[in-house]
């Protein structure tokens, strides 16, 4: 729920437009080739793709054939393409590294040039951004529906365990005749308000 509060459709679509606009700055003469698990360019120096985010320059993407994966911490970019790896500035769980590294051996052959980037930008604009509000609300509806169902199922599971424990307590320890159905009904009444509060 907090994700939808912090990330309104207007805010997300504004960030997406910033990303698309940054792609338009891709140099017309730069060619990035990925083949047989290796990446190389026709530049003999690193390439930096910046975005203008809230009136500040932020480094989005770096291509540096001579860099190691660790250099993403120095560049502080979102992505780094080295000769052998695609590196994300994301800390994986249970890892000491502050980045996620994917070997280019897992990627198919690819040539990225100005035409490729323009086609990507146009496709992104026509297929995603134009239909963003529909996608956003469909995703929100599906996510919230699954969250509600999951919350109800988990709560009912714990309620059944608690009711069974109470049933055994009355039956074995207190030696008092009581029906499980009655205990479960009382439990349902008890969790109605808390469950409503958790969901909404």
């Amino acid at each position: 729920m907090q994700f939808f509060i912090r990330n309104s459709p207007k805010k997300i679509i504004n960030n997406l437009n910033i990303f698309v606009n940054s792609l338009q700055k891709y140099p017309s003469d730069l060619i990035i080739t990925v083949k047989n698990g290796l990446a190389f360019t026709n530049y003999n120096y690193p390439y930096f793709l910046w975005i203008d985010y809230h009136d500040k320059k932020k480094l989005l993407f770096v291509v540096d054939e001579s860099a190691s994966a660790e250099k993403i911490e120095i560049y502080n970019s979102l992505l780094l393409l080295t000769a052998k790896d695609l590196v994300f500035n994301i800390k994986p769980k249970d890892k000491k590294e502050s980045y996620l590294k994917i070997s280019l051996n897992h990627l198919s052959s690819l040539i990225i040039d100005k035409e490729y980037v323009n086609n990507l930008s146009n496709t992104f604009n026509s297929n995603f951004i134009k239909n963003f509000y529909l996608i956003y609300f469909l995703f929100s509806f599906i996510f919230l529906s699954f969250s509600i169902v999951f919350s109800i199922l988990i709560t009912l599971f714990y309620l059944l365990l608690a009711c069974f424990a109470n049933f055994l307590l009355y039956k074995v320890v207190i030696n008092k005749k009581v029906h499980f159905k009655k205990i479960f009904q009382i439990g349902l009444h008890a969790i109605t308000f808390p469950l409503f509060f958790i969901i909404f």
Side-chain angles (χ1 to χ4, degrees), residues 160-180 183:
L160 283 170
L161 288 180
C163 290
F164 185 70
N166 276 283
F167 177 75
L168 290 179
L169 179 67
Y170 277 99
K171 194 81 171 176
V172 179
V173 180
I174 302 177
N175 197 22
K176 186 176 180 181
K177 188 177 181 180
V178 63
H179 294 288
F180 180 81
I183 296 175

Side-chain angles (χ1 to χ4, degrees), residues 163 167 178-189:
C163 290
F167 177 75
V178 63
H179 294 288
F180 180 81
K181 182 180 178 181
K182 190 66 177 178
I183 296 175
F184 186 68
Q185 286 177 340
I186 295 172
L188 282 176
H189 287 297

Side-chain angles (χ1 to χ4, degrees), residues 101-199:
K101 180 173 68 174
I102 298 177
S103 172
L104 295 180
N105 288 318
H106 297 108
L107 300 180
S108 57
S109 297
L110 182 66
I111 297 177
I112 302 173
D113 55 11
K114 183 66 174 179
E115 183 181 0
Y116 178 91
V117 173
N118 284 341
N119 289 336
L120 179 66
S121 177
N122 292 334
T123 301
F124 200 74
N125 258 322
S126 60
N127 294 337
F128 189 79
I129 292 181
K130 285 185 177 179
N131 298 307
F132 174 75
Y133 285 100
L134 176 62
I135 295 170
Y136 180 88
F137 287 113
L138 280 175
F139 173 79
S140 302
F141 176 77
I142 293 170
F143 177 81
L144 291 174
S145 298
F146 272 106
S147 297
I148 291 171
V149 171
F150 184 75
S151 297
I152 292 173
L153 289 176
I154 290 295
T155 304
L156 288 176
F157 174 74
Y158 283 112
L159 175 62
L160 283 170
L161 288 180
C163 290
F164 185 70
N166 276 283
F167 177 75
L168 290 179
L169 179 67
Y170 277 99
K171 194 81 171 176
V172 179
V173 180
I174 302 177
N175 197 22
K176 186 176 180 181
K177 188 177 181 180
V178 63
H179 294 288
F180 180 81
K181 182 180 178 181
K182 190 66 177 178
I183 296 175
F184 186 68
Q185 286 177 340
I186 295 172
L188 282 176
H189 287 297
I191 69 165
T192 299
F193 179 75
L195 187 62
F196 180 85
F197 182 77
I198 291 171
I199 294 173

Side-chain angles (χ1 to χ4, degrees), residues 6-167:
R6 294 177 182 176
N7 298 278
S8 65
K10 184 178 179 180
K11 182 178 179 181
I12 294 175
I13 206 165
N14 181 57
N15 292 337
L16 291 174
N17 282 319
I18 291 173
F19 170 71
V20 171
N21 290 335
S22 69
L23 291 179
Q24 296 174 359
K25 300 175 184 177
Y26 189 90
S28 58
D29 60 336
L30 175 60
I31 300 174
I32 303 171
T33 304
V34 178
K35 188 175 182 180
N36 298 325
L38 294 174
F40 52 91
T41 74
N42 59 335
Y43 281 12
N44 58 2
Y45 50 86
Y47 167 67
F48 303 87
L49 179 63
W50 298 83
I51 60 172
D52 297 310
Y53 186 72
H54 295 309
D55 299 323
K56 292 182 180 179
K57 291 283 186 182
K58 286 190 175 290
L59 190 53
L60 178 66
F61 180 52
V62 179
V63 183
D64 188 349
E65 299 169 60
S66 64
S68 60
E70 294 81 7
K71 200 167 182 180
I72 195 169
E73 298 176 349
I74 299 173
Y75 283 133
N76 195 27
S77 62
L78 182 64
L79 292 169
L80 168 65
L81 180 65
T82 70
K84 296 182 179 181
D85 301 297
L86 180 61
V87 190
F88 296 82
N89 200 353
I90 302 170
K91 183 174 177 60
K93 290 183 178 179
D94 304 321
K95 296 286 185 180
K96 293 181 180 180
E97 295 87 358
S98 60
Y99 54 84
L100 176 64
K101 180 173 68 174
I102 298 177
S103 172
L104 295 180
N105 288 318
H106 297 108
L107 300 180
S108 57
S109 297
L110 182 66
I111 297 177
I112 302 173
D113 55 11
K114 183 66 174 179
E115 183 181 0
Y116 178 91
V117 173
N118 284 341
N119 289 336
L120 179 66
S121 177
N122 292 334
T123 301
F124 200 74
N125 258 322
S126 60
N127 294 337
F128 189 79
I129 292 181
K130 285 185 177 179
N131 298 307
F132 174 75
Y133 285 100
L134 176 62
I135 295 170
Y136 180 88
F137 287 113
L138 280 175
F139 173 79
S140 302
F141 176 77
I142 293 170
F143 177 81
L144 291 174
S145 298
F146 272 106
S147 297
I148 291 171
V149 171
F150 184 75
S151 297
I152 292 173
L153 289 176
I154 290 295
T155 304
L156 288 176
F157 174 74
Y158 283 112
L159 175 62
L160 283 170
L161 288 180
C163 290
F164 185 70
N166 276 283
F167 177 75

